[in-house]
Amino acid sequence: MEFKPYVPPEKSLPEYTVKAFILGVVLSIIMGAANAYLGMYAGMTVSASIPAAVISMAILMAFKDKNILENNMVQTAASAGESLAAGVIFTFPALVVLGTYTEFPYWLVTIIAALGGSLGALFTIVIRRAFIVEERLPYPEGTACAEVLIAGDKGGSHAKPIFVGGIFGGLYKLLGSSGLWPPAVETAKFVGRRVLYLGSDLSAALLSVGYIVGLNIAFLVFLGGAIAWFIAIPLYVAKTGNPDGLSALDLAWVTWSTKIRYMGVGAMVVGGLWSLVKLRGPISRGIKAGLEATKRKQSGELILRTEEDMPMNTVLMLIAAFIVPLFLLYAHIIDSIGIAAVMAIIMLIVGFFGSSIAGYLAGVVGSSNNPVSGITIMSLLFTALVLKGLGLSGVNGMTATILVAAVICTAAAIAGDTMQDLATGHIVGATPKRQQIFEVVGTFTAALVMAPVLNLLIKAYGIAGTPTAKENALAAPQAFLMAKVTEGVFTGTLEWNMVFIGAGIAIALIVLDEILAMKNSSFRTPVMPVAVGIYLPLSLGVPIFIGGILRWLVGKARGAKAEEKPTDAGVLGAAGLIAGEALMGILFAGLIVADKAPSIGFSSNVIGVLFLAVIAVWLYLTGKKEVE
């Protein structure tokens, strides 16, 4: 079926406007600051694309000359702040854990955040056509954001599933965050020398992600979790025992977080390399098409507005322009031009590699569930080994590694976000070139406030386990993980066997997928969803799997209609659920920062499960309808 965007290429609407620029910049700063706190507090951030789109629609309602592409441009800039915050808080606090800094120089954080994030946006220009146009990856959150924008533009009955889903998603997040039920239902028991774990996050948004991506991908994410939690953890515990006398639940989580999740990193490395090998044709064609498009435009030939990327020669010049100051920064800190040059080369090559993986994974599981920290660990391992081989050691070696990883992490975070935004734009009919420019604008704007926010949080709370810690110190779990991985490489204590096991699993899946491809099977086993499942907690994969089953059941119930009209109203309902939970997540982030978050003195797993079951039934019934 030929794809047709909501706004046709022949129609041109204002995308760059003064109000869109101001609103996008303001929201980028707000989302970035809120997510910096939330990430250091809980180790996760919330996607800002849908909340920004909804806020933008609400504000622009006051203007007569508004349109859907203008709304899309606002969410493009605003979501950059949230993604940049993830890249910054996952890496820079690791330097506090390692004892390099207790307060960050403004110039250091700002330069790395602005230039690293912008490199991520530029890298996606090369892969946009491959992932979005040719591969047609589902991009669940990008799709949801597009449906929200389209529903808001159409209004009427088209918006009803999103509106109802938004109420359900927001209410569910509100009650859960207030403590009426825990974030997850989980249990673990010792069976002989083994430990067995079962658990599921209580999340309407994850259920919706599974619905949007479908059963095949949802099952593979769950399969990765099952490999880690049902096979690897029990076998590892049976071999090593429980020397610290932990409870079954604590032992399962500690084993996964300190040992087993590195299998996911190994699988990601192999899966990422294989994805780039498989997509080398589309990527090379994308680069060639970009260069040809530049020549065609210079010769006066007309290019479809919806296919116009930033000119490839401009992209290459900007990449070079951004790498030079980063090289000079490394040379200043390390006091070695040779090693700084190696760091810059690693940053460029691994940065593109990591950004491509992040862009691919955003297309599979969405930006919120994109394992950017896993991509960062991958880059940490490679960078640390190279720098250690060049003779760096101790604090200097670890600091240099984290500074390279900070660029790669911010690039990967922005790349995943940019690809999600470009997928939204592809559906609504935006101009890619304009979105790409706005993404860089949003990144630079958010970078200006990252250092003050980080230093404010460290002064006010400190980081647990460091000399900066105060009462209610922030856990900064991802930063601790980065610090320990880097330390493990330089001290020789990192367990590489887990990384190699994950790589072996990835190779087995690649072989199986190629066999299935030769047999023209409708079921496939791409590596990356399984790698994500291994790296992320099993509890995240369970609701995604249930959502995939719901989508399959809807397809069965609709029968021939599913073939004739493949888009069902359940996709709109799922988009609403994601939007409601995301908006309430942003609201709660603000309440947490203001120390005003509400709390219910009663908590029940049963209530949370029953409420989620009601949402699942509503999603199924809604999905049986075609989009009007």
Side-chain angles (χ1 to χ4, degrees):
M1 184 183 294
E2 185 183 355
F3 171 79
K4 293 182 180 179
Y6 180 69
V7 178
E10 301 78 21
K11 186 176 181 180
S12 184
L13 297 174
E15 295 180 69
Y16 286 149
T17 64
V18 174
K19 57 183 180 292
F21 178 83
I22 294 173
L23 195 52
V25 165
V26 170
L27 288 177
S28 176
I29 292 171
I30 293 172
M31 300 295 186
N35 274 285
Y37 173 83
L38 196 62
M40 290 183 67
Y41 176 77
M44 63 179 293
T45 58
V46 290
S47 178
S49 293
I50 294 173
V54 174
I55 293 169
S56 171
M57 284 192 292
I59 293 174
L60 294 180
M61 285 290 287
F63 297 87
K64 289 183 179 180
D65 56 338
K66 62 184 183 299
N67 69 79
I68 187 172
L69 300 188
E70 191 178 29
N71 275 321
N72 178 61
M73 203 58 72
V74 173
Q75 71 84 15
T76 296
S79 62
E82 167 264 323
S83 298
L84 190 69
V88 168
I89 59 95
F90 286 175
T91 50
F92 279 101
L95 295 173
V96 176
V97 176
L98 293 171
T100 306
Y101 292 104
T102 55
E103 184 174 333
F104 294 107
Y106 181 83
W107 58 269
L108 178 67
V109 177
T110 304
I111 290 174
I112 287 181
L115 299 184
S118 296
L119 282 171
L122 294 173
F123 289 148
T124 62
I125 297 169
V126 177
I127 61 176
R128 181 191 71 85
R129 181 179 297 275
F131 291 175
I132 295 175
V133 180
E134 297 197 21
E135 280 291 295
R136 293 191 180 185
L137 296 174
Y139 286 95
E141 288 180 80
T143 301
C145 188
E147 294 294 352
V148 169
L149 289 169
I150 292 170
D153 191 61
K154 284 185 174 180
S157 60
H158 189 85
K160 185 178 177 181
I162 290 184
F163 179 72
V164 176
I167 293 174
F168 270 132
L171 183 60
Y172 194 80
K173 182 68 173 178
L174 171 65
L175 296 175
S177 298
S178 300
L180 185 57
W181 53 77
V185 177
E186 56 185 3
T187 185
K189 290 185 178 181
F190 288 109
V191 180
R193 287 181 55 83
R194 292 176 170 83
V195 62
L196 296 179
Y197 169 93
L198 285 173
S200 173
D201 269 39
L202 298 178
S203 168
L206 290 174
L207 187 79
S208 302
V209 166
Y211 189 94
I212 292 172
V213 301
L215 182 57
N216 194 163
I217 296 297
F219 170 74
L220 292 174
V221 174
F222 175 76
L223 176 63
I227 291 171
W229 293 79
F230 297 161
I231 300 173
I233 290 176
L235 289 176
Y236 188 88
V237 170
K239 179 181 178 182
T240 60
N242 185 14
D244 297 325
L246 299 174
S247 68
L249 188 59
D250 287 342
L251 181 60
W253 276 100
V254 168
T255 303
W256 170 78
S257 62
T258 60
K259 307 292 182 183
I260 304 303
R261 82 183 307 187
Y262 293 109
M263 287 168 50
V265 174
M268 263 187 242
V269 172
V270 173
L273 284 169
W274 180 247
S275 297
L276 292 180
V277 169
K278 291 284 284 185
L279 292 169
R280 67 190 184 280
I283 290 174
S284 63
R285 287 196 298 272
I287 296 172
K288 186 178 179 181
L291 293 170
E292 288 177 353
T294 302
K295 293 178 182 176
R296 283 159 48 201
K297 189 166 184 181
Q298 288 172 348
S299 65
E301 187 177 338
L302 184 65
I303 298 172
L304 284 179
R305 178 184 58 78
T306 52
E307 288 301 319
E308 186 182 0
D309 287 298
M310 192 184 295
M312 195 61 67
N313 53 357
T314 303
V315 171
L316 296 175
M317 285 190 293
L318 285 173
I319 289 174
F322 290 163
I323 287 175
V324 171
L326 287 169
F327 159 72
L328 295 175
L329 182 146
Y330 291 150
H332 171 72
I333 293 174
I334 304 300
D335 197 25
S336 169
I337 292 177
I339 293 178
V342 172
M343 291 168 68
I345 292 170
I346 292 172
M347 178 195 68
L348 177 62
I349 297 173
V350 181
F352 176 73
F353 177 47
S355 296
S356 299
I357 294 175
Y360 186 93
L361 291 178
V364 174
V365 295
S367 182
S368 294
N369 303 304
N370 201 346
V372 172
S373 58
I375 295 167
T376 308
I377 290 173
M378 176 192 73
S379 68
L380 275 174
L381 293 174
F382 180 78
T383 305
L385 287 171
V386 173
L387 295 182
K388 186 178 180 182
L390 290 173
L392 286 183
S393 61
V395 175
N396 283 341
M398 290 186 278
T399 299
T401 300
I402 293 294
L403 289 177
V404 172
V407 173
I408 296 169
C409 187
T410 51
I414 290 292
D417 171 74
T418 301
M419 289 299 290
Q420 175 178 284
D421 292 338
L422 290 171
T424 300
H426 182 66
I427 295 169
V428 302
T431 308
K433 174 184 175 181
R434 294 172 181 172
Q435 279 191 279
Q436 289 153 358
I437 292 172
F438 241 52
E439 194 80 37
V440 174
V441 170
T443 299
F444 264 83
T445 304
L448 297 175
V449 301
M450 285 295 108
V453 169
L454 267 183
N455 287 330
L456 178 66
L457 292 173
I458 291 171
K459 285 181 181 178
Y461 302 99
I463 297 176
T466 74
T468 66
K470 299 177 177 61
E471 189 177 357
N472 299 321
L474 299 170
Q478 304 292 2
F480 257 96
L481 181 62
M482 305 304 164
K484 295 307 175 186
V485 169
T486 306
E487 194 173 48
V489 173
F490 279 93
T491 58
T493 57
L494 190 69
E495 292 195 21
W496 285 96
N497 57 332
M498 290 297 167
V499 177
F500 295 143
I501 291 171
I505 292 172
I507 292 170
L509 286 167
I510 288 169
V511 172
L512 177 59
D513 190 48
E514 290 299 302
I515 293 172
L516 292 171
M518 287 188 291
K519 293 185 176 182
N520 294 318
S521 172
S522 59
F523 177 80
R524 298 289 297 277
T525 58
V527 174
M528 296 309 282
V530 181
V532 170
I534 296 172
Y535 183 79
L536 296 176
L538 172 70
S539 56
L540 269 66
V542 171
I544 291 175
F545 184 37
I546 294 172
I549 293 173
L550 278 176
R551 183 66 178 271
W552 178 78
L553 291 172
V554 164
K556 288 290 185 182
R558 292 176 66 214
K561 291 180 181 178
E563 297 295 328
E564 297 167 7
K565 296 182 179 180
T567 305
D568 61 69
V571 174
L572 300 178
L577 288 167
I578 293 173
E581 184 165 319
L583 281 169
M584 194 57 67
I586 290 289
L587 173 62
F588 250 82
L591 292 174
I592 289 171
V593 171
D595 199 24
K596 300 290 184 182
S599 178
I600 298 174
F602 172 77
S603 182
S604 169
N605 289 338
V606 175
I607 295 176
V609 171
L610 288 176
F611 196 165
L612 192 59
V614 170
I615 290 174
V617 171
W618 171 81
L619 188 59
Y620 170 76
L621 295 174
T622 302
K624 290 169 69 177
K625 306 171 186 176
E626 294 91 28
V627 175
E628 297 180 20

